[in-house]
Amino acid sequence: MHIKTYILTLLLLCLGMPALAQADALFDEFKRERNAEYVKIPAIVTAMGKLFMGNEPEEQFAKKVRTVRVLDMEKCSAGVKRRFDRRVAALAHKGYETMVRVNDDGEKVHIYARIKNKVIRELLIAYSEEKDCTLVQIKGRFNRDDFARVVNEQTGHKHGHH
């Protein structure tokens, strides 16, 4: 391999890495905060759970999940929560596509997706309000229809539709 080709290949590989590193950096930064609670559900556990799932839209979506990480900062200081809000707002510019953004009376919900070849590889869900902050990362292989089906199913149930 020519050195020029090698450098170009290395550069292209590195360009894809910042998006992946953003969520990892966010978890690493905030899971160490005082009173933060962090849980990671590894692929082996999600694989075992898939054995017991049926065919409901939520279960079909869940079957495509590889790993899940949750960071709960409800008991963290107000300063930590404000810093979290700022860092989450910056994600939209760091390789994530905004799927949903809601800011309703102090409650903020942001759902970002990392998409490769029209396949959603990662969903990053950030929820914050004055008293609570939560970050959820779901890695897997989903398409937009999977995402839309679950959202429609959940909002239909919430509003009394079925």
Side-chain angles (χ1 to χ4, degrees):
M1 183 183 283
H2 291 92
I3 191 74
K4 190 178 189 180
T5 306
Y6 178 75
I7 291 171
L8 282 173
T9 303
L10 191 58
L11 179 64
L12 287 173
L13 284 172
C14 290
L15 288 175
M17 297 303 280
L20 187 58
Q22 292 301 313
D24 291 338
L26 201 56
F27 275 98
D28 288 344
E29 177 181 345
F30 288 97
K31 74 181 182 185
R32 292 184 178 94
E33 290 294 338
R34 186 175 181 178
N35 298 321
E37 296 178 17
Y38 172 74
V39 176
K40 180 178 182 181
I41 302 169
I44 186 76
V45 175
T46 60
M48 289 177 7
K50 292 173 189 175
L51 298 173
F52 304 99
M53 292 181 191
N55 290 317
E56 294 296 316
E58 298 91 348
E59 293 170 314
Q60 289 297 315
F61 183 84
K63 285 180 181 180
K64 296 180 179 190
V65 171
R66 194 169 41 97
T67 61
V68 177
R69 294 197 296 176
V70 179
L71 179 61
D72 181 358
M73 294 174 286
E74 179 180 10
K75 297 175 185 169
C76 291
S77 71
V80 169
K81 293 173 186 175
R82 282 192 302 273
R83 196 171 85 240
F84 174 77
D85 274 343
R86 287 192 303 270
R87 295 275 281 120
V88 167
L91 281 176
H93 310 291
K94 303 279 186 178
Y96 287 91
E97 181 178 318
T98 302
M99 299 284 284
V100 176
R101 176 178 270 162
V102 177
N103 189 347
D104 184 29
D105 200 26
E107 290 184 64
K108 298 176 193 165
V109 178
H110 301 269
I111 301 177
Y112 299 103
R114 188 174 54 82
I115 301 170
K116 184 176 180 185
N117 298 328
K118 297 184 180 182
V119 175
I120 299 171
R121 303 297 178 113
E122 175 187 345
L123 287 171
L124 200 58
I125 304 159
Y127 169 81
S128 64
E129 54 135 348
E130 185 180 334
K131 296 180 182 175
D132 194 7
C133 280
T134 304
L135 182 65
V136 178
Q137 178 189 53
I138 303 170
K139 289 185 177 181
R141 294 178 57 90
F142 318 97
N143 60 46
R144 289 179 186 271
D145 291 339
D146 297 326
F147 185 72
R149 247 190 315 279
V150 171
V151 169
N152 289 338
E153 182 78 14
Q154 291 303 310
T155 55
H157 283 286
K158 186 176 181 180
H159 294 58
H161 304 100
H162 197 55

